[in-house]
Amino acid sequence: MPDYETFVFTTDLTDAQRVRERCDVLGAISEEPDRLTRRFATPAMRAANAAVAGWMRDVGMVVRQDGIGNLIGRYEAREAGAKTLLLGSHLDTVRDAGKYDGPLGVLVALALVERLHARGPRLPFALEVAAFADEEGLRYHTSYLGSRALTGAFDPRDLSREDEDGVAMAEAIRAFGGDPAAIDRERRDPGAMLAYCEVHIEQGPVLEQRGLPVGVVSVIMGQGRCDVAFVGQAGHAGTVPMDLRHDALCAAAEFTLAVEGLARREAGLVATVGQLAVGPGASNVIPGRATLSLDVRHLDDAARQEACLFLHNAAVDIGARRGVSVEWRLVQESATVSCSPALGAALSRAIEALGYAALSLPSGAGHDAVVMSTLAPVAMLFVRCKGGVSHNPAEAVIMEDVAVALDVMDTFLANLVDSYNLV
Ligand code: GLV
Ligand code: MN
Ligand code: MN
């Protein structure tokens, strides 16, 4: 019997409902009582990993937490030595997050394994579900720590970075049960990888506008992140005349508006100052130091780099005019990445087989697939989200769309099995 016949497609909502219930469970695991915040290598991450590990074991997966804290469940192939198809996404979140960005991809992957397990026969390739430990970069300002470990792109210099409480990354990894000295051992052999596929909420409005439940990602936009500090002079709010001040916050504010101005002028550019800290921080003290985060994105890498250079020069000019010095540090940079055209076409065929139009769209958000693309061909399926809202507790998906995503991935897997058997 061909493998394809072992797949049964369903419009049943039971699996989708379980995925959403599990998103609710993970959504309640937070570092903060009233909002969802789950940073890399924290007790909340440990609890999330424990919940997902339990669900993985229930469906016959062999589970391990790797040296950096990724949770990996493996569902063996029917024969040893077969390649591995990696599915997954991340379990860390931004601050005051929604509950689907990341976990949806992990839990849809898990539901697919659950279906396979219920059907019985193993596939000719192994399936792994990766729940990455850090994609957002909230704790150490450098994202993709989890997937970087798998591709060998983890930079050991990052181990000395400190979080806002002064905890070094190496220390956080050790406390989480990992081994900072052994992260390089997580590096995977590209020859053993079949592909990496990630399901993710769209985080934008396109699918909703088109009336489509899912879409296929064509490219993932490149991004650069910088930490910028304006250093002026703290002083008395009542005694220092306005023309003698070196107010670091005013410099940072002027720079922030310059960021917005440039991004509004340049087509295709998006740029954001998302974090701002002011010191010493008292109502009657002129700010002596203002540090901010800068996030710059464009599909065209050269245009993005040009924008970063322009903004660097703008910061220096603003500082010079105000007698405020500027410290500028590039924290990370990733180029625009293309998803595999062949896998994208296979996803499109799966969507069309279920009776939907297959729309291909770029991703403005970064994803673990960016890093994984250096290891294996990557594919991403986007799921419509309400109002295109994300990085916000109002993130929402409907059950029917999750069910379509599951059925699309099921069909895609079936087709992958057929083509694998032909090779
Ligand atoms: C990930 O969420 C990103 O910031 O692109
Ligand atoms: Mn995100
Ligand atoms: Mn994400």
Side-chain angles (χ1 to χ4, degrees):
M1 190 203 298
D3 290 292
Y4 189 86
E5 290 179 22
T6 63
F7 288 84
V8 181
F9 304 115
T10 172
T11 48
D12 189 339
L13 294 182
T14 318
D15 293 349
Q17 187 165 354
R18 190 174 318 107
V19 167
R20 280 224 321 195
E21 282 165 5
R22 288 175 170 178
C23 286
D24 289 342
V25 171
L26 295 180
I29 302 177
S30 173
E31 294 177 60
E32 301 182 284
D34 300 323
R35 56 183 190 172
L36 174 55
T37 304
R38 203 165 50 232
R39 295 173 305 157
F40 172 66
T42 53
M45 271 307 276
R46 185 189 301 285
N49 275 5
V52 176
W55 297 327
M56 286 174 164
R57 288 195 187 97
D58 287 347
V59 292
M61 302 189 96
V62 176
V63 185
R64 68 183 279 262
Q65 187 176 293
D66 74 8
I68 195 151
N70 296 318
L71 185 75
I72 314 255
R74 183 170 174 89
Y75 195 71
E76 265 310 337
R78 73 176 158 239
E79 279 158 27
K83 290 195 177 197
T84 299
L85 173 68
L86 194 63
L87 306 171
S89 194
H90 57 101
L91 288 186
D92 68 314
T93 71
V94 291
R95 186 171 277 123
D96 199 11
K99 54 191 173 191
Y100 300 104
D101 173 3
L104 181 71
V106 174
L107 298 174
V108 164
L110 189 56
L112 286 169
V113 177
E114 219 152 25
R115 284 188 181 183
L116 290 175
H117 193 58
R119 288 174 200 145
R122 295 276 171 148
L123 301 185
F125 44 82
L127 271 179
E128 286 191 23
V129 176
F132 289 116
D134 170 271
E135 183 264 6
E136 305 284 8
L138 180 59
R139 187 165 182 187
Y140 290 104
H141 289 200
T142 175
S143 56
Y144 305 134
L145 291 176
S147 40
R148 281 183 208 279
L150 264 62
T151 65
F154 178 79
D155 184 346
R157 286 172 301 185
D158 284 342
L159 290 168
S160 58
R161 278 178 179 279
E162 292 184 353
D163 69 4
E164 58 211 36
D165 300 315
V167 180
M169 189 190 294
E171 198 182 327
I173 291 172
R174 262 192 298 269
F176 201 65
D179 180 357
I183 289 170
D184 202 46
R185 276 191 227 141
E186 303 303 340
R187 183 196 291 258
R188 297 295 181 95
D189 169 14
M193 298 294 301
L194 188 59
Y196 172 73
C197 302
E198 179 167 353
V199 175
H200 204 285
I201 55 166
E202 183 202 341
Q203 306 183 277
V206 176
L207 291 171
E208 194 172 71
Q209 275 165 7
R210 301 288 189 95
L212 295 170
V214 293
V216 180
V217 178
S218 51
V219 292
I220 306 171
M221 198 188 272
Q223 56 173 271
R225 294 193 195 182
C226 301
D227 282 346
V228 186
F230 290 91
V231 185
Q233 190 173 28
H236 198 293
T239 60
V240 184
M242 293 310 288
D243 60 341
L244 294 182
R245 294 185 178 202
H246 304 288
D247 185 323
L249 176 59
C250 289
E254 190 178 339
F255 174 72
T256 302
L257 292 178
V259 171
E260 185 196 38
L262 178 69
R264 279 175 173 265
R265 285 195 303 279
E266 298 296 323
L269 181 70
V270 285
T272 307
V273 173
Q275 270 179 311
L276 178 66
V278 181
S283 61
N284 58 350
V285 181
I286 299 163
R289 185 177 176 89
T291 54
L292 57 84
S293 63
L294 173 67
D295 179 309
V296 180
R297 307 185 190 205
H298 200 295
L299 278 173
D300 179 339
D301 292 325
R304 172 178 48 79
Q305 282 164 340
E306 207 175 298
C308 282
L309 186 61
F310 177 92
L311 291 173
H312 177 260
N313 292 339
V316 171
D317 285 351
I318 290 166
R321 252 191 296 109
R322 292 175 170 275
V324 168
S325 65
V326 179
E327 295 163 11
W328 183 281
R329 194 160 57 103
L330 179 66
V331 179
Q332 73 165 61
E333 193 175 18
S334 57
T336 291
V337 156
S338 293
C339 293
S340 152
L343 292 175
L347 275 176
S348 295
R349 280 196 299 278
I351 293 171
E352 283 161 357
L354 291 166
Y356 299 98
L359 178 75
S360 161
L361 71 171
S363 171
H367 299 286
D368 291 299
V370 167
V371 175
M372 296 305 289
S373 69
T374 62
L375 187 68
V378 299
M380 285 195 72
L381 183 74
F382 270 172
V383 181
R384 166 168 58 186
C385 62
K386 190 159 183 277
V389 172
S390 183
H391 283 185
N392 183 313
E395 246 171 38
V397 291
I398 59 168
M399 200 103 73
E400 288 76 4
D401 291 354
V402 176
V404 172
L406 268 166
D407 287 353
V408 166
M409 289 304 291
D410 220 344
T411 311
F412 170 77
L413 264 183
N415 293 339
L416 213 56
V417 166
D418 284 347
S419 49
Y420 190 86
N421 285 337
L422 292 177
V423 180

